Amino acid sequence: MIDPTGPNHKAWRRFRRNKAAVAGLVVIILTFFVAIFAYEIAPDSTPDANEQTLAIAMSPPVTRVRFIEVIKPSPPTSVSFLSAFFMGRPSHYESWPITAFRMKYDHVFVDVYRGKTREAETRRLAYTNMTGLDTFYDPQGHRIAVTDMDSGSAMYARFYEKTRDAVFRTMLPQKTFWLGTDRFGRDILSRLIIGSRVSLFVGLVAVLISLLIGVVAGALAGYYRGWIDEVILWIINVFWSIPTILLAMGLYVGAGAVIESKLLLIFIAVGLTMWVEVARIVRGQFILVREFEYVTAAQSMGFGSARTIFRHILPNILGPVIVVACANFASAILIESGLSYIGLGVQPPTPSWGGMLSEYKNFIDSDKAFLALAPGIAIMILVLAFNLVGNGLRDALDVKGKPE
């Protein structure tokens, strides 16, 4: 049971009174939810949301298009639920945009849209090209191929009546592209949803790396002082002088042949430049707290340095560490977006917000500005949310002069 008079409960009450911080927390939680269930939420659930329809490229937001779905000549193999959840589900159908359709007994006639400058092409398709159904079970349970049926029989008529209903319900969907489509006719909303995984994953891993290195280094420097403090401070100053983008470039040149994953290179580059801020904060807090009476008491009782550091001092300085972690999360998102913007991030067709922004930055002063505005606004909102939460935590954990 949580003590309503405890410091954590009081800090939570102060945090809840900060409406901006609460709003930022809601945005962060929703973004994590969207990133986790990205392929379940995204309208285009194919891997990397990479389903291309060139005829509708660069369509404006809230564009509604009727499609006809035709089975691919060589359908992809089915994937497991976990693979579909994390990597997407390959489509078994080709989607053709159409302007009109007419259903005639055992065929459908469609006018396939081929772009603004070309006339629609009329095509005739058998229902079996869409549903894949080519057999029918008679009342006795016998399986009969469509080609063996008498086209004038009642069985043939019943088969195509059912097939026609299936085609109309599921094979002629109308899709809405709420944020429009990109230059390959891909759904921008879907790629934005899938791209949130990259930003959050990089931010999360980079913050964990920075905390792991920064807390240990800062604790050792602040607790032992002396030559250990001088060595760690020298290392901090060295890493402090290395810009993240230059470090990323050096890693690409030096380790690119060994480490194939561009995402892993981003983790290393961002994590190795963000830990110094954590180390400085932790070091300063340790220098302050190590003189407190409870630390002296722990030392006089014969507790080892590791126990004193991690069980007595560290839990009492978590407030500033959490605040700097929120700030670093926002910085990591910006850094990842910047690296993707200059081409050092994840590579196409994997979507990332920085990559999408870089790809369409030249359209910002045209009527296609929505191509760049969507990822730009997403980055801005998420970074703002982390900054608001960080500020809210700072005010909530700083009890000096604060009303309860």
Side-chain angles (χ1 to χ4, degrees):
M1 184 174 179
I2 299 177
D3 182 7
T5 62
N8 292 335
H9 188 78
K10 292 178 179 178
W12 171 241
R13 287 210 310 265
R14 287 191 292 269
F15 182 83
R16 284 188 303 176
R17 286 199 291 266
N18 189 330
K19 303 302 181 184
V22 172
L25 182 61
V26 170
V27 170
I28 293 171
I29 293 174
L30 288 176
T31 305
F32 268 99
F33 177 83
V34 167
I36 293 171
F37 298 95
Y39 282 108
E40 304 300 317
I41 297 173
D44 179 7
S45 59
T46 59
D48 296 323
N50 195 38
E51 186 176 17
Q52 302 181 13
T53 310
L54 295 177
I56 58 171
M58 294 191 177
S59 297
V62 200
T63 295
R64 290 182 172 86
V65 180
R66 173 77 70 178
F67 286 88
I68 186 168
E69 295 185 336
V70 182
I71 295 177
K72 292 180 178 179
S74 301
T77 56
S78 298
V79 297
S80 65
F81 171 78
L82 285 178
S83 178
F85 185 85
F86 289 107
M87 304 300 295
R89 185 179 294 103
S91 177
H92 290 66
Y93 299 93
E94 295 179 1
S95 295
W96 302 345
I98 60 175
T99 57
F101 67 92
R102 299 169 297 284
M103 305 184 79
K104 301 288 187 180
Y105 191 46
D106 55 358
H107 287 82
V108 59
F109 295 85
V110 294
D111 294 336
V112 180
Y113 180 72
R114 300 194 298 169
K116 295 180 180 179
T117 59
R118 303 174 65 187
E119 292 185 0
E121 177 186 357
T122 301
R123 297 183 186 178
R124 177 177 177 266
L125 295 168
Y127 292 159
T128 51
N129 294 134
M130 292 165 279
T131 62
L133 298 174
D134 56 3
T135 58
F136 180 75
Y137 289 90
D138 65 11
Q140 287 73 39
H142 300 135
R143 184 175 179 179
I144 303 175
V146 175
T147 53
D148 295 335
M149 293 183 191
D150 182 2
S151 60
S153 67
M155 184 186 301
Y156 189 85
R158 286 198 305 272
F159 172 79
Y160 274 107
E161 184 179 353
K162 288 185 177 181
T163 310
R164 173 192 174 102
D165 292 340
V167 167
F168 186 75
R169 287 196 315 270
T170 61
M171 302 300 161
L172 291 165
Q174 178 169 300
K175 301 179 182 179
T176 301
F177 298 93
W178 296 104
L179 296 181
T181 60
D182 64 9
R183 63 192 179 99
F184 296 108
R186 299 174 295 195
D187 181 28
I188 292 178
L189 176 60
S190 297
R191 291 183 63 78
L192 208 64
I193 291 173
I194 306 301
S196 66
R197 285 186 169 185
V198 175
S199 294
L200 290 178
F201 194 36
V202 169
L204 183 61
V205 175
V207 166
L208 290 177
I209 292 174
S210 67
L211 288 176
L212 180 63
I213 301 175
V215 168
V216 173
L220 293 176
Y223 184 80
Y224 289 108
R225 304 301 304 274
W227 68 270
I228 295 178
D229 186 25
E230 292 179 2
V231 170
I232 292 177
L233 272 180
W234 181 83
I235 296 174
I236 287 175
N237 290 331
V238 169
F239 276 90
W240 194 278
S241 65
I242 304 175
T244 301
I245 293 179
L246 287 181
L247 179 60
M249 291 179 178
L251 286 172
Y252 269 70
V253 174
V258 179
I259 304 175
E260 295 182 1
S261 173
K262 304 302 181 186
L263 205 56
L264 181 57
L265 289 174
I266 295 176
F267 294 155
I268 297 172
V270 177
L272 289 181
T273 53
M274 293 179 62
W275 70 270
V276 292
E277 183 68 26
V278 178
R280 289 179 66 252
I281 296 293
V282 172
R283 173 182 175 273
Q285 291 294 314
F286 262 76
I287 292 174
L288 176 65
V289 173
R290 71 192 295 267
E291 306 297 334
F292 286 4
E293 293 180 356
Y294 72 87
V295 177
T296 304
Q299 293 170 339
S300 64
M301 292 175 67
F303 293 154
S305 298
R307 177 169 179 173
T308 303
I309 291 173
F310 293 104
R311 294 193 59 181
H312 297 281
I313 300 180
L314 193 57
N316 288 284
I317 65 165
L318 284 180
V321 174
I322 294 173
V323 172
V324 76
C326 285
N328 282 350
F329 210 121
S331 298
I333 293 172
L334 285 176
I335 292 171
E336 183 280 324
S337 300
L339 291 173
S340 296
Y341 186 85
I342 62 175
L344 297 181
V346 294
Q347 300 302 304
T350 302
S352 71
W353 292 352
M356 294 170 66
L357 185 60
S358 174
E359 189 174 2
Y360 300 108
K361 62 182 181 295
N362 295 330
F363 294 92
I364 197 66
D365 58 348
S366 69
D367 60 344
K368 307 294 184 183
F370 62 88
L371 294 168
L373 287 178
I377 292 174
I379 295 170
M380 180 191 71
I381 291 176
L382 189 56
V383 171
L384 177 62
F386 274 104
N387 286 329
L388 290 175
V389 170
N391 292 339
L393 287 173
R394 180 197 61 203
D395 295 339
L397 297 172
D398 182 14
V399 298
K400 297 177 182 178
K402 299 288 184 181
E404 298 299 332

